[in-house]
Every structure is written in C-alpha cells, then in structure tokens.
Amino acid sequence: MKAGTVTASIAAALTVTAGLSGCTAGASVGKQAADSAETLVATLTKVSDEASKAGSAEVEMSVTMPDTGGKPVQMNGVYSWGNGLAMEAEMPAEDLQMEKLVADGTITYRLVQGAYYYGIDPAPSGPFAGKTWLKVEASAVLGEHGAAGMNAGNSDPTAGLKSLKWASNVTKVGQEDVNGKNSVHYRATVPVDKLGDTKAMFGAVGAGTATELVSDIWVDDKGMPSRLNQTVGDVTVNVDFLSFGVAKDIAVPPAADTADITEAVKEGRAAQG
C-alpha cells in the first residue's frame, strides 16, 4: 500500500478525533444568546460536567474532508477519555482505500497513547509481511502543534462546552428526535482563532483558511448530548452519542505484530505539498 493512499485515510480518522476533542467549543453558549443566556449556559455547563464524568461513550460518526474526496468516512465504536484519550472503531475498508488489506471489508482502528493503529490481514510478503497492524503517530498528519492539541487536557468530546465565552450567534433551534431521544437542539459559532492548538489540527486536514467553527449540539431529556455536528471550512464531523459510561480497555497492539509507517506517511504528506 502506498503512503499517499494511506495518508488520506489516516487524515480522515484523525479528523474525527480532532472534531471530538476541539470542535465542541462551538457547542458552548455566549451571552449574546437571544434565549436566556444564563439558563442556556447553566444547562450546557451541566451537560458538559455530566458527560465528562461518564469517561467514555459508544458513538457513530462520519467525517467529510478534502482528503476523502468529499465522501463521508464512517466510524462506529467506543471513544474513551476517562484514563487518557483512546478510541476503538470499525470502519469500511473501501472508505479508507484499504480494501486490499482485509478480506472482510472492515478495518479495525485504534487510537491509543498518541498513535493510530489499523488492523490488517497478515501479508505473505512485502513490507507488511506477517504484520496485523499499521501504526502512525498523530504528529505525522496533524503536525506537532496539532497532535499537542489532540492530546491536551480538553480532549474529551464534551470539554469544549466549558469554553462559553468564545461562542457567538447562539440560538436554541428547538425540540427534535435523535435516535429515539427527545432532544433540544442548540447552534453556535466560534472564531477559529479562539481554538488554540486545535486550529493547527484543522489546518493539517484541509480547513486552514476557515475563520469560524459552526456547531450544533442536541441535548436529550436526561441532560446528556445525543448528537454533535460540526463544520469548519470544508471539514464536517457528525457524531451520534448512543450511550455513555461504556468503559473499555483499548490496548496498544503488540510491537511484533505492528509495522510503523509514520515516516512513510510524513514523506507522502510532504510530497503532496
């Protein structure tokens, strides 16, 4: 598999994590809200606190970005932030242009200890001979600043709700059904310049010229987020939270079974300019 091919798929996976870790700032509520600012701030602050306590969530998500050719890449799995940032998900191999690396059409993807792993079938020969995982350090695609933003202390998918002061143009859209949950829909925008290291993350995946992040968050009748949709430039991340508190041990694959392609990915990104 060529580095250039795997780079686009890895960038898509990284963007999902970036969206969860940084974009949620756009779901916060500022004092310009037309609908009782104090009430909205109190509501979403409590949402953030309760979801953060859960430590993990089962999610369904999709990401669309320039590196995916405008085609959404799907992920379904568990996102954990209770003991360091981690994730394990299933992804269609065709979406990632990795269908030649697995027989069943599905890629298992893990984020753990600052690196990304893709499960593949063992090849009889070639650079991946006998290996069942491909490893890429996050910095290979996001850059050092972007990776730092992903691994910062605000990396759980609800921490951005605390960044209330940066939101503007906040509206309470109304009541909607989300996966059978009666939910209140909120919308807000945040200047990209206020996103700190997360701004570098978005620049690395094709949203470098965007000036604002537009976020929609749905809060269910139990006070938990049920859906989070975010758009920054040409990058869109959609996340459905199916359940919370689904703790799962996401392990680093054995080194003997892993091919580290970080340098190849860096070279591929550099060649693309």
Side-chain angles (χ1 to χ4, degrees):
M1 185 178 188
K2 295 181 179 179
T5 301
V6 76
T7 295
S9 60
I10 291 169
L14 294 176
T15 304
V16 171
T17 305
L20 288 172
S21 64
C23 281
T24 46
S28 56
V29 177
K31 293 182 179 180
Q32 299 178 17
D35 217 351
S36 181
E38 292 78 8
T39 299
L40 293 178
V41 168
T43 297
L44 292 185
T45 298
K46 185 175 181 180
V47 169
S48 173
D49 291 343
E50 292 303 313
S52 293
K53 291 176 186 177
S56 60
E58 181 184 3
V59 297
E60 289 183 352
M61 62 189 77
S62 67
V63 57
T64 304
M65 56 183 289
D67 276 347
T68 67
K71 179 181 178 181
V73 174
Q74 306 290 327
M75 294 186 190
N76 302 317
V78 173
Y79 192 100
S80 174
W81 58 93
N83 186 24
L85 185 62
M87 184 176 185
E88 182 170 87
E90 299 294 320
M91 308 172 69
E94 184 178 3
D95 285 0
L96 302 179
Q97 302 176 44
M98 291 183 175
E99 59 268 34
K100 293 183 179 180
L101 299 181
V102 291
D104 65 0
T106 300
I107 292 286
T108 297
Y109 147 80
R110 291 181 187 175
L111 159 64
V112 59
Q113 295 185 9
Y116 291 79
Y117 298 86
Y118 292 78
I120 61 172
D121 295 341
S125 61
F128 304 151
K131 304 299 183 180
T132 54
W133 293 94
L134 302 180
K135 174 185 177 181
V136 182
E137 297 288 344
S139 60
V141 175
L142 298 180
E144 295 298 334
H145 289 300
M150 183 194 72
N151 290 310
N154 66 340
S155 56
D156 76 72
T158 60
L161 289 169
K162 302 183 190 304
S163 304
L164 303 176
K165 61 183 178 180
W166 302 126
S168 62
N169 302 320
V170 183
T171 59
K172 182 177 179 180
V173 180
Q175 298 277 140
E176 298 175 21
D177 181 275
V178 178
N179 296 321
K181 301 174 183 177
N182 185 28
S183 303
V184 180
H185 179 186
Y186 302 91
R187 178 175 297 146
T189 61
V190 172
V192 169
D193 287 343
K194 302 296 185 181
L195 298 178
D197 285 333
T198 305
K199 179 181 177 181
M201 222 181 311
F202 290 128
V205 294
T209 61
T211 59
E212 67 178 19
L213 167 71
V214 179
S215 283
D216 290 80
I217 183 170
W218 287 257
V219 181
D220 67 22
D221 55 11
K222 294 182 179 179
M224 302 291 276
S226 55
R227 175 172 290 166
L228 181 64
N229 292 352
Q230 307 137 122
T231 299
V232 55
D234 293 329
V235 178
T236 299
V237 180
N238 301 322
V239 184
D240 277 8
F241 296 94
L242 304 183
S243 60
F244 283 89
V246 289
K248 179 179 181 180
D249 181 24
I250 301 173
V252 175
D257 299 334
T258 302
D260 191 332
I261 61 171
T262 299
E263 291 305 315
V265 171
K266 287 182 178 179
E267 291 172 5
R269 299 286 291 182
Q272 292 172 5

